[in-house]
Structures are given as structure tokens and as C-alpha cells.
Amino acid sequence: MSEKTEKTEKTAVTPATHTTPPARFSHGVRRGNLLQVAGQVGFLPHVEGRPPTPAGPTLREQTLQTLENVRSVLEAGGATWDDVMMIRVYLTDTDHFAEMNELYNAYFEEQALQAPPAARTTVYVGLPAGLLIEIDALAALG
């Protein structure tokens, strides 16, 4: 017995608030009911003619903007925070763990999620100068 499986098309997701990525990748990719949000950083929404600009120099400013940037990709791909299965947070400094956890907890308490996603945080020193945090997410819709 053989089953015919139909390959679901892969679709790039780029919210209007985001710039075209500097390399060959998408801010998000949806295939079937899965949406992978690429690593987002704390850049303010895109303004034509202005280079990407961090929300500010503090972890608070960058974390809140980064979460909003992830949310923008989720929404552009047809998802919400309740669809998110996994979040990965990358910090550039181990001293930022406690503050990031406070910001993260407060942000998701405001979202009134049915159940929080799985999450992991690690330290990564490869972000461009001045950027303190990067977050990616995996959502399953429907």
C-alpha cells in the first residue's frame, strides 16, 4: 500500500516593519502549519532611508523591541504567541540572565497565554556590536 504525500509549499514571511535581510534568509518561513521565526534583534521598525537602528542601548529596550519583532513575524505568518512551541533566547552577557527573565516573565504575563512555550537561553557573543539579545521562535498553527 502506498500513500501519496503532497509536499507543502514553503513561504517566506517578512512583515512590513522589517527591512530586507542583509543576507539570503527570511525573517520567517512557513510550511504547512509550522512557522519558524528567524533570530530577531531589537531594531526599531524600518523607516525607508534609515539604516537598522537599535531600540536603545539597554537590555530592557532591546528585549521588549525584540519580542515585538518576533510577534510581528508571527502575525505576518498567521500565528500568535499561543501558537509558539519553542523560544530560544541568545544573550551576549551572562550578567543579563536575571533582568531578561524579569522582562520575559512580565511580557508573557501581559500576553495571557494559555500555556507558556518551552524556552532556552544561552550566551552567544557573535551579535553585531551594541546588540545584547536575539530571540527566535517555532510556532505550530491550528
Side-chain angles (χ1 to χ4, degrees):
M1 178 185 344
S2 89
E3 280 185 34
K4 183 178 179 183
T5 57
E6 187 177 311
K7 188 172 181 178
T8 308
E9 199 170 309
K10 185 168 75 170
T11 306
V13 177
T14 301
T17 55
H18 287 51
T19 61
T20 301
R24 216 165 141 69
F25 67 88
S26 299
H27 288 291
V29 174
R30 182 166 176 182
R31 181 177 227 157
N33 72 332
L34 294 179
L35 172 63
Q36 175 65 57
V37 177
Q40 301 294 302
V41 295
F43 287 144
L44 293 168
H46 175 63
V47 174
E48 193 62 43
R50 187 179 77 190
T53 306
T58 69
L59 182 67
R60 176 181 181 74
E61 292 165 313
Q62 289 188 28
T63 298
L64 295 176
Q65 185 63 53
T66 300
L67 288 165
E68 285 305 302
N69 291 344
V70 172
R71 185 186 56 74
S72 293
V73 178
L74 289 169
E75 288 179 356
T80 69
W81 282 116
D82 274 317
D83 297 312
V84 174
M85 302 294 294
M86 179 68 179
I87 293 176
R88 286 178 293 267
V89 178
Y90 304 91
L91 296 172
T92 59
D93 189 332
T94 56
D95 291 340
H96 291 161
F97 271 94
E99 182 180 0
M100 191 283 300
N101 282 337
E102 285 178 29
L103 294 164
Y104 179 96
N105 288 339
Y107 181 87
F108 283 111
E109 188 172 314
E110 288 176 13
Q111 305 306 309
L113 298 180
Q114 293 175 357
R120 119 174 256 266
T121 302
T122 190
V123 174
Y124 173 70
V125 295
L127 293 178
L131 293 177
L132 305 173
I133 187 168
E134 179 177 325
I135 299 174
D136 69 49
L138 176 64
L141 293 76

